Amino acid sequence: MIKCTRSHKYYDYCFIDGPAVLDPTTSTFFAADPTGPTLVEKIKPYPRKFENSTMSRIKELTLISGPPGPKCQIQHTGPALVFSAGGYTGNVFHDFNDGFIPIFIVVHSILHDQAPILVISEARDWWVSRYADLLKIFSKHPIINLDNDTASHCFTSASVGLISHGLVTINPTLLHNPKTMVHFHAILDKAFGKHRRDSKPSTSRPRLVLLRRTLGVGRAILNQDDVRRAAEKVGFEVVIFEPTSTTDMHFAYDLISKSHAMVGVHGAALTHLLFMRPGAVFMQIVPLGTNWPAKVCYESPARAMGLQYIDYRIDVEESSLVHKYGKDDIVVKDPAAKIGSNWDILMKIYLKEQDVKLDLNRFTWFLKSAYGKAKKFMEKERVSSTSRFLKYAATTTTTYSAKTQAQPPQVEKVQPYPRKFEGFIMPHIKNLTLTSGPQSPPCKVRHSVPALVFSAGGYTGNFFHDFNDGFIPLFITVNTIFPDQDIVIVVSEAPNWWPRKLIKEVGFEVIMFNPKRMTPLHESYALLNSSHAMIGVHGAALTHSFFLRPGSVFVQVVPIGIEWGAYAFFGRMARALDLEYSEYKIGVNESSLVDKYGKENLLLKDPFALQKTGWPPEVMNIYLKEQNVKLDLERFKSCLKKAYTKATRFMEKNG
């Protein structure tokens, strides 16, 4: 009757499959099994099993099957869900990573369609009060505090311990009813959103929440006032927010959920990204030595929640460590080698000793990118909030929103293609008109579900843009705006061939893969998904890395002048897909531009200087259209050897 799982790195978990009696005075559960042998299990119900120092402070529970336990004093008609609120409780990251997300997982995997009774050990009163509304989402029953209760309780079954899928993550394939981080956000909205104040955020400027850290604890922004002014100059309305363990969760949710962007240095406060609306902009400032925790703790959940993620990885000169250790010390020169697998070094040096002083010229470029995304998000939100019941007139490309006579008519025009920043392509995208008012044409075809309208014009037919401007935004919109709903897709400017070869999966049967617009996608998929590595020069065809299996090798050859684009378009995507990603950045002598312009030309000597204000078309044409590469085979060989080693390892493991 007692079944325990102890093989996982993060947690132990036990389940009593049948009636269970709790004696709080001895922290013991009894499972009546008169016919079977007596069985005793010990468990600490906190999902950080790998941390000995933390687990030593967690109360141990005993589970016994055999003769009947103590007489039942309080009878419950549902299962017990037992966990500890000890450990790192009070740190907002751990409150969610070690607590509420694992609770969500247990409820939707083990206890689906049941109403559990929460039995909590080491639950301090202030913690229960702070999260009372969220705890009520998981259980309508009063909480049983294992530390101060003396009555025996009877349950229909007992789930002891919490299940973790990893850092701030939910794996929907492991749940009874597939749920994601988007669904977790929905319960936060249910818990905290009902208490929203009637605050009045700016209607003309996107609101940016700038997270502040106190000096002396590590990872503070030393020039924070300058950063705030830079953000305001870019166009943001800036709100400074420094959360503490006593910050009211309803206030925090109200502030974050009504904002359009949030930025802060890697740390626990970034956990407030869970309060952001899908589509909002989240920028993480990544100090030296924190690339791995920055990715797994915040980048991955941000993407899973449908946020627009930006990371700003500081340069050496922006870290306070350079003043303490010097540029040539291994602490600064090679943080990964210094840290190795020693978490204490990461914590002591890179998390607690390090502050940042941002290069405003460099950081402003990222702020401008964040502003553009946040502005677009704000405008899209404003348009959608005006829509109630919509009618679509195909002959005029107009959508009508039904309103009463007393409301003034409103007209909005929108080009439903996500490359608003490109002055060249957007004039070719058909305008749609959204109008509200009492007059509209009679409805000839009625649908009982919402419409999702977008354009398949623009760069459609270019494989990168088919996914970047089409299917990925389509996926995001469906899973954020219309979760668990059927929709009608309304497409403008769709070529006749587009819906038929692009919805199929991709593939090409030759090793030298030269994909064309009409290449059958199932063939491309078959080739790449059965391969162990892919190498190519930066360009749209690298979008085929979508079809590589997680763990396979992807090497991007990066020509001169497109380092940023290479990482932004394919590097981030590769890491999100769990590929073994690396870059081969060509030297000046490997570029065809050296023959045309000479080594000393600014185009080759300092490409970044030409791109500080963006990518003018004439500069983009030089780097992307004029440039070919002739690889230095001796130099490239070392890159190939590393790729071969990783690919061989992958092949041996996965076939």
Side-chain angles (χ1 to χ4, degrees):
M1 294 183 68
I2 299 176
K3 304 171 184 176
C4 291
T5 299
R6 300 188 184 275
S7 60
H8 200 278
K9 172 185 176 181
Y10 289 103
Y11 63 87
D12 286 338
Y13 174 80
C14 291
F15 184 69
I16 299 178
D17 187 12
V21 181
L22 168 65
D23 179 2
T25 62
T26 60
S27 301
T28 302
F29 272 92
F30 296 87
D33 186 10
T35 60
T38 299
L39 177 66
V40 178
E41 296 279 1
K42 303 275 188 181
I43 182 172
K44 293 186 175 185
Y46 189 72
R48 292 191 80 80
K49 172 182 167 182
F50 57 93
E51 283 196 17
N52 293 331
S53 61
T54 303
M55 295 304 289
S56 66
R57 303 192 299 270
I58 302 298
K59 179 182 287 188
E60 187 174 68
L61 277 71
T62 303
L63 285 65
I64 301 176
S65 70
K71 185 178 179 181
C72 182
Q73 294 176 294
I74 301 176
Q75 182 72 52
H76 301 278
T77 58
L81 172 50
V82 189
F83 62 93
S84 170
Y88 293 111
T89 298
N91 175 298
V92 68
F93 173 81
H94 292 284
D95 287 339
F96 284 91
N97 182 69
D98 307 338
F100 294 113
I101 294 175
I103 293 171
F104 180 89
I105 290 171
V106 172
V107 167
H108 289 282
S109 58
I110 308 297
L111 303 176
H112 51 87
D113 299 326
Q114 299 185 62
I117 297 92
L118 301 183
V119 180
I120 313 177
S121 68
E122 299 153 303
R124 285 158 279 188
D125 290 342
W126 63 264
W127 182 86
V128 173
S129 175
R130 188 182 193 202
Y131 292 109
D133 286 322
L134 183 52
L135 290 166
K136 288 175 184 175
I137 297 295
F138 294 110
S139 177
K140 302 300 181 185
H141 303 285
I143 291 170
I144 297 174
N145 190 321
L146 196 60
D147 301 327
N148 57 25
D149 201 308
T150 57
S152 59
H153 296 260
C154 296
F155 306 93
T156 57
S157 63
S159 179
V160 186
L162 296 178
I163 296 174
S164 171
H165 289 169
L167 292 172
V168 199
T169 190
I170 296 169
N171 185 341
T173 65
L174 300 178
L175 302 181
H176 183 264
N177 294 314
K179 302 288 182 182
T180 66
M181 291 297 293
V182 174
H183 295 93
F184 182 74
H185 171 78
I187 73 161
L188 298 181
D189 189 68
K190 188 176 180 182
F192 302 126
K194 62 183 179 182
H195 294 286
R196 286 180 183 171
R197 294 165 174 77
D198 292 325
S199 61
K200 297 179 179 178
S202 169
T203 56
S204 59
R205 293 189 294 159
R207 177 195 275 176
L208 171 71
V209 174
L210 174 57
L211 293 171
R212 175 168 58 195
R213 292 180 65 89
T214 303
L215 281 170
V217 298
R219 289 158 288 147
I221 301 176
L222 299 177
N223 56 341
Q224 179 181 274
D225 289 341
D226 294 331
V227 171
R228 174 181 55 78
R229 283 189 286 269
E232 289 173 340
K233 188 174 180 180
V234 163
F236 280 114
E237 171 194 324
V238 181
V239 177
I240 306 293
F241 178 47
E242 184 175 3
T244 68
S245 60
T246 60
T247 298
D248 180 79
M249 297 306 291
H250 302 104
F251 169 79
Y253 190 89
D254 183 69
L255 172 65
I256 303 295
S257 67
K258 286 184 177 177
S259 298
H260 307 96
M262 185 172 78
V263 61
V265 181
H266 172 76
L270 295 191
T271 311
H272 288 89
L273 68 87
L274 297 173
F275 297 169
M276 301 182 78
R277 290 164 294 166
V281 180
F282 171 55
M283 184 192 298
Q284 177 176 202
I285 298 169
V286 183
L288 298 183
T290 64
N291 290 355
W292 178 82
K295 176 179 174 58
V296 298
C297 294
Y298 301 113
E299 177 182 348
S300 295
R303 295 189 186 283
M305 289 183 61
L307 303 181
Q308 300 189 74
Y309 177 76
I310 299 172
D311 63 10
Y312 179 83
R313 301 189 180 191
I314 72 166
D315 285 338
V316 167
E317 291 78 8
E318 295 172 279
S319 171
S320 63
L321 297 179
V322 76
H323 303 296
K324 184 172 182 178
Y325 294 94
K327 275 189 180 182
D328 295 323
D329 193 284
I330 190 173
V331 166
V332 174
K333 202 171 184 180
D334 193 351
K338 176 67 177 177
I339 296 167
S341 59
N342 192 328
W343 179 263
D344 291 336
I345 291 177
L346 172 66
M347 180 66 70
K348 179 180 181 296
I349 296 177
Y350 295 98
L351 297 183
K352 292 187 175 180
E353 290 185 9
Q354 182 174 202
D355 294 315
V356 302
K357 186 175 182 181
L358 302 183
D359 178 334
L360 291 182
N361 287 331
R362 181 168 171 255
F363 189 64
T364 296
W365 190 90
F366 285 79
L367 282 174
K368 287 179 178 178
S369 175
Y371 175 79
K373 295 175 186 291
K375 183 76 170 175
K376 189 183 300 183
F377 170 63
M378 183 181 73
E379 291 171 350
K380 184 186 297 184
E381 187 178 57
R382 187 163 57 211
V383 170
S384 65
S385 68
T386 66
S387 302
R388 293 185 179 177
F389 181 76
L390 300 179
K391 293 182 180 180
Y392 177 69
T395 56
T396 61
T397 322
T398 302
T399 300
Y400 297 85
S401 172
K403 287 192 173 184
T404 64
Q405 291 279 1
Q407 295 172 305
Q410 182 180 359
V411 178
E412 297 277 359
K413 292 187 179 290
V414 63
Q415 292 170 290
Y417 188 71
R419 294 191 78 82
K420 175 182 171 183
F421 59 91
E422 280 204 23
F424 167 74
I425 201 65
M426 292 307 288
H428 300 283
I429 302 298
K430 183 181 291 185
N431 246 312
L432 274 71
T433 302
L434 284 67
T435 180
S436 66
Q439 299 298 319
S440 66
C443 185
K444 295 181 180 179
V445 181
R446 181 172 292 278
H447 301 276
S448 59
V449 295
L452 174 52
V453 187
F454 63 94
S455 171
Y459 292 113
T460 297
N462 174 293
F463 197 63
F464 171 80
H465 292 284
D466 287 336
F467 280 83
N468 185 69
D469 307 338
F471 293 118
I472 294 176
L474 179 61
F475 176 85
I476 292 170
T477 305
V478 168
N479 286 280
T480 54
I481 309 300
F482 303 114
D484 302 320
Q485 294 187 64
D486 290 328
I487 57 171
V488 174
I489 291 180
V490 181
V491 189
S492 70
E493 303 164 295
N496 291 332
W497 55 265
W498 181 76
R500 180 166 51 84
K501 292 189 169 165
L502 287 181
I503 293 178
K504 291 185 179 178
E505 295 167 310
V506 74
F508 200 65
E509 291 183 342
V510 296
I511 300 302
M512 294 296 294
F513 183 43
N514 183 22
K516 306 295 185 182
R517 175 179 292 190
M518 300 304 291
T519 299
L521 296 183
H522 65 279
E523 293 179 7
S524 299
Y525 187 90
L527 170 65
L528 291 161
N529 193 252
S530 63
S531 298
H532 308 99
M534 183 177 86
I535 298 175
V537 181
H538 174 80
L542 295 192
T543 313
H544 288 88
S545 58
F546 267 126
F547 306 143
L548 293 168
R549 289 172 288 170
S552 56
V553 179
F554 172 33
V555 179
Q556 179 176 196
V557 177
V558 183
I560 297 291
I562 55 176
E563 288 85 354
W564 174 85
Y567 182 74
F569 296 146
F570 300 113
R572 287 177 181 167
M573 180 178 77
R575 291 202 165 100
L577 291 168
D578 288 331
L579 303 179
E580 287 281 353
Y581 173 75
S582 62
E583 292 180 350
Y584 177 83
K585 296 181 180 180
I586 73 166
V588 169
N589 291 328
E590 295 171 278
S591 171
S592 64
L593 297 180
V594 75
D595 299 321
K596 183 171 182 179
Y597 295 97
K599 278 188 181 180
E600 300 304 314
N601 191 291
L602 198 61
L603 283 164
L604 291 134
K605 201 171 184 180
D606 192 0
F608 181 72
L610 295 175
Q611 300 171 19
K612 282 184 177 178
T613 58
W615 267 27
E618 60 274 14
V619 174
M620 183 175 71
N621 286 340
I622 291 173
Y623 290 122
L624 293 180
K625 295 185 178 180
E626 290 186 17
Q627 184 174 202
N628 294 314
V629 301
K630 185 175 182 180
L631 300 183
D632 179 334
L633 294 184
E634 286 301 315
R635 181 168 170 256
F636 190 56
K637 186 184 293 183
S638 63
C639 176
L640 288 175
K641 285 181 178 178
K642 292 177 183 177
Y644 176 79
T645 301
K646 293 177 181 178
T648 301
R649 191 182 306 137
F650 172 71
M651 182 179 68
E652 291 171 349
K653 185 176 180 181
N654 299 278

